[in-house]
Amino acid sequence: MRCERCGSKAFERFRGKVYCRECFATRYIGAVESCVRRYRMIRDGESVLAAVSGGKDSVAMLSALNGLSKKMNFEVSALYIDLGIGEYSRKSEDSVKSLCREYGIELHTARLEDYGFTVSDVSGKTCSVCGNVKRYLMNRFARDNGFDVIATGHCGEDILSNFLKNLYSGNIQWSEKQKPRLDGYDRMVTRIRPLYEMSEKENMLYVLARSLPFVEDECPHAPPSTWKEIVYEIERRIPGFRTSVLRNLARERKGGNEVFRYCRICGEITTSEICQFCRNIARFSKNQ
Ligand SMILES: [Zn+2]
Ligand SMILES: [Zn+2]
């Protein structure tokens, strides 16, 4: 088979057409660009801090942002958050380093170790602690260093499976946060999801098309992704389900941010007296 755009050796199908590696990559970046523009994710001249874990999704995001930054007039830097998960974290950090070197992108690192614990010290609900720690550290880092926007590599399936999970457990207000651009308020920095309408498979194929360095292993603490399998199953039976729900979720709804207060210990925004991050420190840190 041949590329339908240039006639070179075929690589893979992208949204109905067969492309060579180069044309696949070009079409992919074009799709990310339309997604970023559709939801007005980045404003003129903004500085974007891309949170990169070294996995295929965030690597594809950093590469796409790097490809779009001149054309769309914004700046990109990368942030790697070291959660201290042994060999997995070391491999991931090396991989992010080599990617940033290749692109000439400035790489920052925030280490959970500096707060007296790592994800390896966490017993029980590792993934919720991990998610809290990442959101907290990226927000503080971005704000302290004057970035306008934090970009994360969440793809369509991540957003839909989170949505279903939260619907199941009754956290309906969480669906408010599953937006392509969540404007900042008070001490919270604006967050964007440039891969909002991209699928995991498209991200993986892009990374392969460009031979980008990425870490293949899953986080050793990640649970089996039942919700994601359900999302795939619905998409198989109702083609177009993913895009349709994502676009509905992105619509403006009434209601502002929930009432918040400041953590008594660190001063970050929280809904309780002491924020979840400081409660995690109290439970797991050896610095006390
Ligand atoms: Zn081609
Ligand atoms: Zn706190």
Side-chain angles (χ1 to χ4, degrees), residues 136 140 262-270 273-279 281:
Y136 185 98
R140 262 187 94 150
Y262 302 116
C263 170
R264 193 157 55 78
I265 296 171
C266 72
E268 290 296 313
I269 284 175
T270 172
E273 192 183 350
I274 294 172
C275 82
Q276 188 60 46
F277 184 78
C278 288
R279 279 185 273 158
I281 291 185

Side-chain angles (χ1 to χ4, degrees), residues 40-54:
R40 295 189 19 81
M41 280 190 233
I42 306 174
R43 316 276 149 89
D44 201 48
E46 280 185 331
S47 59
V48 178
L49 181 66
V52 185
S53 68

Side-chain angles (χ1 to χ4, degrees), residues 160 164 230-231 234-236 238-246:
L160 282 188
L164 289 179
I230 292 169
V231 169
I234 305 178
E235 180 71 27
R236 198 180 63 76
I238 311 172
F241 168 82
R242 198 170 49 90
T243 312
S244 168
V245 177
L246 286 169

Side-chain angles (χ1 to χ4, degrees), residues 13-183:
R13 199 169 275 282
F14 184 85
R15 304 192 177 175
K17 279 192 175 157
V18 174
Y19 295 108
C20 67
R21 278 172 186 265
E22 199 45 47
C23 294
F24 184 97
T26 308
R27 283 286 291 112
Y28 175 91
I29 302 271
V32 176
E33 180 182 349
S34 331
C35 184
V36 170
R37 288 191 194 277
R38 170 189 295 272
Y39 301 111
R40 295 189 19 81
M41 280 190 233
I42 306 174
R43 316 276 149 89
D44 201 48
E46 280 185 331
S47 59
V48 178
L49 181 66
V52 185
S53 68
K56 62 181 187 330
D57 300 315
S58 58
V59 164
M61 171 186 71
L62 184 66
S63 172
L65 290 177
N66 180 60
L68 293 170
S69 68
K70 263 216 185 83
K71 184 176 179 192
M72 297 183 69
N73 190 33
F74 61 84
E75 279 165 40
V76 201
S77 303
L79 173 67
Y80 176 76
I81 297 176
D82 175 14
L83 299 166
I85 314 177
E87 192 50 29
Y88 170 73
S89 290
R90 267 187 299 277
K91 265 166 82 182
S92 308
E93 186 171 352
D94 285 347
S95 179
V96 174
K97 266 188 193 156
S98 66
L99 180 68
C100 288
R101 211 178 304 126
E102 195 178 320
Y103 284 142
I105 289 177
E106 190 180 6
L107 173 63
H108 307 273
T109 310
R111 296 189 199 279
L112 181 56
E113 207 177 36
D114 296 344
Y115 296 85
F117 73 108
T118 69
V119 167
S120 302
D121 298 317
V122 173
S123 47
K125 282 181 155 182
T126 310
C127 284
S128 68
V129 174
C130 189
N132 161 261
V133 157
K134 284 194 274 194
R135 285 189 298 272
Y136 185 98
L137 293 179
M138 66 176 87
N139 187 66
R140 262 187 94 150
F141 186 90
R143 196 185 65 223
D144 291 348
N145 293 282
F147 288 95
D148 299 311
V149 173
I150 299 165
T152 58
H154 294 102
C155 63
E157 288 94 353
D158 292 327
I159 289 148
L160 282 188
S161 57
N162 270 333
F163 173 68
L164 289 179
K165 217 189 300 176
N166 287 313
L167 189 63
Y168 172 77
S169 48
N171 295 324
I172 314 281
Q173 73 281 13
W174 263 88
S175 69
E176 275 304 307
K177 298 188 176 173
Q178 312 290 318
K179 293 213 158 141
R181 173 168 168 128
L182 258 183
D183 281 319

